[in-house]
Amino acid sequence: MFLKNKRILISGLANKYSIAAGIAECMHREGAELAFTYQNERLLKNLEPIAKSCDSDILIECDVADDNSIKKAFNKLSNSWSNFDGLVHSIGYAPADQLEGDFVDVTTREGFKIAHDISSYSFTALAKAAKSLLKENSALLTLTYLGSIQTLPNYNVMGLAKASLEANTRFLAASMGKDKIRVNAISAGPIKTLAASGVKNFRKMLNQHSQRAPLGRTVTTEEVGNVAAFLCSDLASGITGEITYVDAGFNTAAMPSSEFAE
Ligand code: NAD
Ligand code: 0WE
């Protein structure tokens, strides 16, 4: 129970397949007290049963595109929690037309702006809003993807936004270290979530991943959740500004092991 007496706010839980749902389950198992934010009314019905299974009844609307919504959300949170110990940012978005086709052809100024705003700036925005409520030895965590440092088809401007998010993680860590707040990221392997549904050839990508990854498979939201729980706990007290890969080793292998080769 390494998160006993820790209060952690989780964002980005859209449904039971969300990475944030795996994180919530693991954090609850480790004794954390949880609160949740959701993007809009429409997603609340999916969140309710999951929050309940985590013994949480603190559910707060927060659209990270809107400063006023963020401000209201933390005001509301402060009515339940006078302070807290951790925040999980599990939010990413680019307009669908940015994620299909040739990067140079499909990327627009507006698409770039939205991707960076929702997928990177929002982490700074939440850190800023949370700061005055965060206790010593708190931890912030975000979710990133390998597309930040290597190319792949269709990920396009999201790769740039994830590169920004990873730099954001390091600058937030440098900035908040003096307040004894740690800031880290998990780079997860591909998982079939809502954000991945509708992505062209996603099934093929999962197969490619399994073939090249040293463990010969993809990862689960529970595997990401376990590392998230660790990074937000005092077990990780010496880790900040770090990108931890939870990808069955995929990023470490340039070619498949002979066992998997043709
Ligand atoms: P998901 O669709 O379940 O979660 C994405 C969340 O972002 C949703 O809950 C959605 O409501 C939220 N969101 C989008 N715009 C928002 C806004 N304006 N305000 C508030 N919330 C908003 O998908 P997921 O795969 O669990 O994604 C969670 C994070 O994990 C994302 O940052 C994603 O980039 C990252 N990630 C996903 C994978 C993968 O393969 N699924 C791999 C690595 C990293
Ligand atoms: O970060 C992600 C998800 C990113 C994402 C997905 C969507 C689809 C629906 C951001 N915005 C949107 N907007 C939508 O309208 N992943 C790591 C999963 C993912 O998404 C891909 C991938 C992978 C992997 C998109 C293209 C190629 C690969």
Side-chain angles (χ1 to χ4, degrees), residues 7 58 74 76-85 130-135:
R7 289 169 163 169
I58 311 175
F74 281 87
K76 202 170 163 199
L77 180 70
S78 68
N79 293 332
S80 302
W81 288 354
S82 57
N83 54 40
F84 69 111
D85 305 281
K131 191 177 167 181
S132 66
L133 294 173
L134 288 171
K135 294 179 15 193

Side-chain angles (χ1 to χ4, degrees), residues 3 8-11 13 15 18-36 47 50-51 53-56 88 90 221-222 224-226 228-229:
L3 287 175
I8 299 176
L9 177 65
I10 297 180
S11 69
L13 201 163
N15 60 34
S18 292
I19 292 175
I23 293 174
E25 185 192 322
C26 293
M27 288 185 163
H28 175 250
R29 184 195 70 216
E30 294 304 330
E33 208 183 310
L34 300 178
F36 296 88
L47 171 58
I50 296 167
S53 74
C54 293
D55 302 314
S56 169
V88 177
S90 187
T221 58
E222 289 70 29
V224 176
N226 281 327

Side-chain angles (χ1 to χ4, degrees), residues 7-224:
R7 289 169 163 169
I8 299 176
L9 177 65
I10 297 180
S11 69
L13 201 163
N15 60 34
K16 64 179 178 182
Y17 303 108
S18 292
I19 292 175
I23 293 174
E25 185 192 322
C26 293
M27 288 185 163
H28 175 250
R29 184 195 70 216
E30 294 304 330
E33 208 183 310
L34 300 178
F36 296 88
T37 66
Y38 56 94
Q39 185 182 359
N40 56 49
E41 199 69 41
R42 196 167 43 78
L43 296 171
L44 179 58
K45 64 174 190 311
N46 298 340
L47 171 58
E48 272 171 339
I50 296 167
K52 199 168 178 193
S53 74
C54 293
D55 302 314
S56 169
D57 59 2
I58 311 175
L59 311 183
I60 302 169
E61 185 169 319
C62 182
D63 179 348
V64 298
D66 176 2
D67 282 331
N68 198 38
S69 174
I70 294 174
K71 192 173 158 192
K72 283 200 316 212
F74 281 87
N75 259 328
K76 202 170 163 199
L77 180 70
S78 68
N79 293 332
S80 302
W81 288 354
S82 57
N83 54 40
F84 69 111
D85 305 281
L87 184 152
V88 177
H89 173 271
S90 187
I91 291 171
Y93 177 78
D97 63 8
Q98 301 294 290
L99 300 176
E100 196 180 327
D102 221 315
F103 174 69
V104 68
D105 297 331
V106 303
T107 308
T108 63
R109 190 183 297 274
E110 185 65 7
F112 180 103
K113 186 185 138 299
I114 294 169
H116 284 72
D117 184 19
I118 305 303
S119 310
S120 180
Y121 176 71
S122 67
F123 191 36
T124 317
L126 293 184
K128 207 189 262 281
K131 191 177 167 181
S132 66
L133 294 173
L134 288 171
K135 294 179 15 193
E136 281 194 356
N137 305 316
S138 289
L140 311 186
L141 181 73
T142 188
L143 274 299
T144 184
Y145 179 60
L146 184 63
S148 60
I149 59 168
Q150 293 180 16
T151 66
L152 67 156
N154 298 324
Y155 200 63
N156 295 351
V157 76
M158 272 306 295
L160 285 66
K162 290 303 194 188
S164 166
L165 178 66
E166 292 177 14
N168 205 335
T169 301
R170 291 184 286 272
F171 273 87
L172 285 172
S175 167
M176 300 177 90
K178 60 179 174 302
D179 306 310
K180 299 198 161 60
I181 298 167
R182 297 180 299 102
V183 187
N184 290 293
I186 290 175
S187 186
I191 302 174
K192 185 116 185 91
T193 62
L194 187 63
S197 74
V199 171
K200 224 177 135 189
N201 292 323
F202 198 75
R203 179 73 57 79
K204 262 191 189 166
M205 281 187 194
L206 293 176
N207 288 335
Q208 284 270 328
H209 180 97
S210 296
Q211 280 182 28
R212 187 183 300 184
L215 293 180
R217 60 175 179 81
T218 56
V219 295
T220 64
T221 58
E222 289 70 29
E223 288 178 310
V224 176

